């Protein structure tokens, strides 16, 4: 009989190893960047690992091996479904969004990054007309893929007072969220956050880095079924 400790150790090892299962190209490594099913595979692995842990923990000591196996199978199937759906949604968004909009597929969510320079005028929270169409297209897309929550997150660079930047990021997140809601996305699916200057993705010591930090991210999170 496989001991419960061995079962849990194996399951946890699988979850911890998932970081190595994502596409290395996303982090500057190699990887098969031409595999259209990469995120489907990653989703299956993530689901299998998580399912193994949950299945093992839900059983008594004598049945944890069986629980881990069943959990892995079920979790893998669900994870693959999420990954496949995200792959399709990502491809459709790329066809309709401005090429300057960055779409990142992590395997368990989509992150749509809208640069501030094309989204807002300086110190403004009014969405520029040029991006209204892109947000309308995104709203139409997420109404097709209904089983998700949208997190709209505003970010700024470090110029100016931190308190002002926090307020500006909150206002910009609300402005983008309002466009999506006005285009038909249920308000119950949309959450807004302002991060101010606290989460830079590049250096604030030069203009290029500041431009990257000024952004609004729309995180599309599939809901548990």
């Amino acid at each position: 009989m496989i001991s419960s400790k061995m079962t849990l150790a194996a399951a946890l090892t699988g979850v911890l190893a998932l970081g190595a299962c994502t596409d290395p190209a996303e982090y500057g490594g190699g990887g098969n960047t031409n595999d259209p099913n990469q995120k489907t595979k990653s989703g299956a692995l993530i689901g299998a690992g998580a399912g193994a842990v949950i299945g093992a923990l839900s059983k008594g000591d004598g049945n944890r091996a069986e629980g881990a196996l069943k959990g892995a199978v079920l979790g893998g199937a669900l994870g693959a479904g999420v990954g496949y759906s995200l792959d399709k949604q990502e491809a459709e968004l790329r066809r309709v969004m401005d090429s300057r909009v960055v779409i990142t597929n992590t395997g368990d969510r989509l992150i749509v990054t809208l640069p501030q320079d094309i989204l807002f005028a300086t110190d403004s929270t009014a969405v520029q007309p040029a991006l209204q169409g892109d947000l309308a297209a995104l709203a139409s897309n997420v109404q097709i893929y209904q089983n998700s929550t949208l997190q709209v997150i505003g970010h700024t660079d470090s110029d100016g007072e931190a308190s002002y930047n926090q307020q500006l990021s909150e206002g910009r997140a609300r402005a983008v969220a309002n466009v999506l809601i006005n285009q038909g996305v249920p308000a119950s699916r949309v959450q807004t956050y302002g991060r101010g200057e606290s989460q830079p993705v590049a250096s604030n010591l030069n203009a290029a880095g500041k431009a990257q930090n000024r952004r609004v991210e729309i995180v599309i999170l599939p809901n548990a079924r």
Side-chain angles (χ1 to χ4, degrees):
M1 179 182 294
I2 299 176
S3 72
S4 60
K5 290 183 179 180
M6 290 178 63
T7 302
L8 285 173
L12 289 168
T13 298
V15 172
L16 293 173
L18 290 174
C21 295
T22 54
D23 186 359
E26 291 181 4
Y27 303 96
N32 180 8
T33 58
N34 296 318
D35 185 353
N37 299 314
Q38 178 65 45
K39 299 305 184 301
T40 304
K41 296 173 183 176
S42 296
L45 289 167
I46 292 170
V53 174
I54 294 170
L57 292 174
S58 67
K59 297 291 184 179
D61 286 345
N63 297 310
R64 282 185 173 170
E66 179 185 0
L69 178 59
K70 290 181 178 178
V73 172
L74 179 59
L78 292 174
V82 169
Y84 175 71
S85 179
L86 287 177
D87 285 341
K88 288 184 61 181
Q89 187 173 10
E90 175 194 8
E92 291 171 15
L93 282 173
R94 290 188 185 280
R95 284 197 293 269
V96 298
M97 299 290 285
D98 189 294
S99 61
R100 293 168 292 181
V101 174
V102 178
I103 302 173
T104 304
N105 186 340
T106 68
D108 65 345
R109 69 194 63 192
L110 294 178
I111 304 173
V112 180
T113 303
L114 306 164
Q116 178 263 318
D117 291 350
I118 62 173
L119 190 59
F120 298 103
T122 302
D123 291 330
S124 173
T125 59
V127 177
Q128 299 204 80
L131 260 290
Q132 294 277 352
D134 289 270
L135 291 176
L138 190 150
S140 296
N141 176 276
V142 299
Q143 288 177 80
I144 296 171
Y145 296 88
Q146 299 179 10
N147 189 44
S148 63
T149 297
L150 308 183
Q151 295 182 344
V152 184
I153 309 171
H155 301 270
T156 71
D157 61 27
S158 62
D159 286 351
E161 294 291 332
S163 59
Y164 174 80
N165 288 334
Q166 178 63 33
Q167 293 175 5
L168 183 63
S169 68
E170 292 172 1
R172 287 176 168 174
R174 286 194 298 269
V176 171
N178 286 338
V179 173
L180 297 176
I181 293 168
N182 290 337
Q183 290 292 333
V185 179
S188 60
R189 292 180 58 193
V190 183
Q191 304 168 353
T192 63
Y193 303 92
R195 301 302 187 210
E197 60 188 62
S198 66
Q199 295 182 353
V201 293
S203 172
N204 274 309
L205 299 178
N206 56 68
K210 290 178 181 179
Q212 293 181 60
N213 293 332
R214 298 189 299 265
R215 67 200 191 278
V216 171
E217 295 171 337
I218 301 172
V219 182
I220 302 172
L221 286 167
N223 298 326
R225 295 181 183 275

